[in-house]
Amino acid sequence: MRGTQANSLCYKTMQIRLTVLLLIAVLVFNGCTALEEAQRRREKRILEERNADSLMLRPSKATIEIGTDALHSVSDHYTLTFAEDLYQHPQLGNVQEREMFARSALGYMESLYDAMNRLFGFQPQHKIHVRLHDLFQGSRLRAITTTHYRSAFQGGRHVKFINGISMDFPLAMYERHGVRAHELTHAFTNIYFLPVWFSEGIAVLIQTEYAKGGSHPKYDSLKGDLRVDLDGVNQLENWGGHGEGGPLTNWRYRYAYTVVAELRERYGNNFYIKVFQLMETDALHQRLEDRMPTSFLVYYLSKAAGEDLVPFFKELQFKVIKLTKEDILKYIDDLNRQIGRRP
């Protein structure tokens, strides 16, 4: 009897030891798996950080020069000036604080410049002049981008040339990461007189996918989330831009971004580089007095895509027609005649 009990006790002891060993093995295995998974995630993150398509705002190698009292500073493509109402600001009250802010701000803007050049081929010939204010036009919620032009006749036609680009930012707006990226993007796109919806769509794309400051996510379906006016026209067509509020504002930003992103997904990361290269070559935007109609834009989108995109936009209820270059030239000449300019 005692032998039987002893054997039973021995057997139970072995079971307990085996169970403990199995638990240890499981823990070790799971620990190794967790470590391996963490290593894979780290390697993936490193690869993503080296990939311009997933993290565009890489450190810039641009030169930055800080001016006297750090009130006006210059980099390769920007100037940064503090307006007088910031001289006694709590965050910028001394030279050291202003210098640290200026270096950081210009470094960020130069990184954005590099990103815009890689994505769209943009490379303004003039510096972009950024002025920071405490209050701008009596508000801390209003930023403005101004493109300065001079007019001349070239080849017997009225043409606009860019003298410079300036941006006025309240400090409170500039410090909002997403707003800063969005507004700075307009400094690159405004010179083309793009339709509002397309210009805003590009700005949201940069803000969301590359500067990581987006608040307007893409829609799942262009058709399913479409909204039209009483005439059955896409509600993007009559968008006035930033100054226009209303219940459709958030939808417009999101839908414009979704259209812009969809085209890039279909035709590749170099698609918009091709679009703007075609615009630069023709320079027809330099003859425009106001924003180009969507049909005008679709002409260039189609050329870059290598196929007619009018059906795509018609399906989304844009009011578009197929244009030739001759149609566009005639439109510009007719418009100039209407405002009393020599064609």
Side-chain angles (χ1 to χ4, degrees):
M1 186 73 175
R2 287 180 181 176
T4 303
Q5 288 177 341
N7 289 337
S8 176
L9 180 62
C10 183
Y11 177 76
K12 288 180 180 178
T13 302
M14 289 180 64
Q15 276 190 318
I16 292 170
R17 287 177 178 175
L18 284 171
T19 302
V20 170
L21 287 172
L22 284 171
L23 284 172
I24 292 172
V26 168
L27 288 171
V28 170
F29 176 79
N30 286 341
C32 291
T33 303
L35 287 172
E36 289 171 359
E37 180 61 27
Q39 179 66 18
R40 282 196 292 269
R41 286 198 300 268
R42 180 177 178 275
E43 290 172 354
K44 180 181 178 182
R45 186 171 65 252
I46 291 171
L47 287 173
E48 286 176 345
E49 288 174 354
R50 293 172 181 167
N51 184 346
D53 288 334
S54 44
L55 185 66
M56 290 188 59
L57 299 188
R58 301 179 296 192
S60 172
K61 297 179 181 179
T63 301
I64 296 174
E65 297 179 4
I66 307 298
T68 305
D69 294 331
L71 297 174
H72 178 79
S73 302
V74 179
S75 62
D76 292 350
H77 304 105
Y78 295 87
T79 68
L80 179 68
T81 303
F82 295 106
E84 289 186 14
D85 64 355
L86 286 178
Y87 290 1
Q88 304 302 320
H89 192 277
Q91 298 177 30
L92 302 168
N94 60 57
V95 174
Q96 184 179 9
E97 289 172 332
R98 289 194 293 271
E99 179 176 352
M100 287 179 62
F101 186 99
R103 287 193 184 280
S104 174
L106 286 168
Y108 178 91
M109 290 190 288
E110 287 290 349
S111 293
L112 183 65
Y113 184 98
D114 295 341
M116 294 295 289
N117 179 252
R118 290 195 302 273
L119 232 200
F120 299 108
F122 296 146
Q123 196 167 5
Q125 297 179 3
H126 301 277
K127 286 184 185 291
I128 298 171
H129 303 286
V130 177
R131 292 188 293 263
L132 295 182
H133 309 254
D134 182 21
L135 291 172
F136 178 63
Q137 296 182 348
S139 173
R140 292 189 175 93
L141 299 172
R142 179 176 174 81
I144 288 182
T145 301
T146 305
T147 306
H148 306 278
Y149 299 94
R150 63 181 176 86
S151 297
F153 282 94
Q154 188 177 71
R157 294 181 180 275
H158 173 79
V159 179
K160 287 182 176 181
F161 295 94
I162 300 171
N163 282 337
I165 302 166
S166 62
M167 304 186 70
D168 289 277
F169 264 110
L171 182 64
M173 280 193 73
Y174 185 86
E175 290 186 318
R176 291 166 58 187
H177 182 66
V179 173
R180 182 195 322 164
H182 185 108
E183 294 300 329
L184 285 166
T185 300
H186 286 315
F188 295 85
T189 60
N190 279 7
I191 64 173
Y192 295 98
F193 293 100
L194 301 171
V196 167
W197 69 265
F198 188 64
S199 178
E200 295 295 348
I202 288 174
V204 177
L205 184 147
I206 288 291
Q207 173 185 356
T208 302
E209 297 188 17
Y210 298 96
K212 310 300 182 187
S215 57
H216 304 292
K218 282 187 294 188
Y219 282 113
D220 294 330
S221 169
L222 284 172
K223 293 180 182 178
D225 293 294
L226 175 64
R227 297 190 186 183
V228 297
D229 62 18
L230 290 175
D231 295 321
V233 177
N234 192 306
Q235 287 279 13
L236 288 184
E237 288 272 46
N238 55 12
W239 189 11
H242 284 322
E244 181 180 298
L248 287 175
T249 298
N250 184 58
W251 174 86
R252 282 174 168 142
Y253 280 113
R254 290 183 63 185
Y255 200 84
Y257 164 39
T258 306
V259 174
V260 169
E262 171 67 20
L263 290 171
R264 187 185 62 167
E265 185 175 335
R266 286 190 183 194
Y267 300 107
N269 290 333
N270 291 330
F271 176 62
Y272 289 118
I273 291 178
K274 296 175 185 176
V275 170
F276 288 103
Q277 282 177 342
L278 290 166
M279 287 187 183
E280 287 284 357
T281 299
D282 288 349
L284 297 181
H285 59 281
Q286 291 182 260
R287 306 185 199 178
L288 288 171
E289 187 65 26
D290 203 350
R291 293 185 182 273
M292 64 175 67
T294 298
S295 294
F296 192 143
L297 170 67
V298 172
Y299 165 78
Y300 285 107
L301 295 175
S302 298
K303 287 192 71 175
E307 64 176 299
D308 182 13
L309 291 179
V310 169
F312 169 81
F313 281 92
K314 280 190 172 181
E315 193 172 10
L316 299 179
Q317 302 303 310
F318 282 86
K319 195 175 181 179
V320 294
I321 60 172
K322 186 173 181 178
L323 295 176
T324 65
K325 189 172 182 179
E326 290 69 28
D327 294 328
I328 294 173
L329 289 170
K330 184 178 184 302
Y331 165 79
I332 294 171
D333 289 345
D334 289 346
L335 198 61
N336 281 333
R337 287 192 187 95
Q338 291 172 21
I339 61 177
R341 283 207 180 110
R342 189 173 64 192

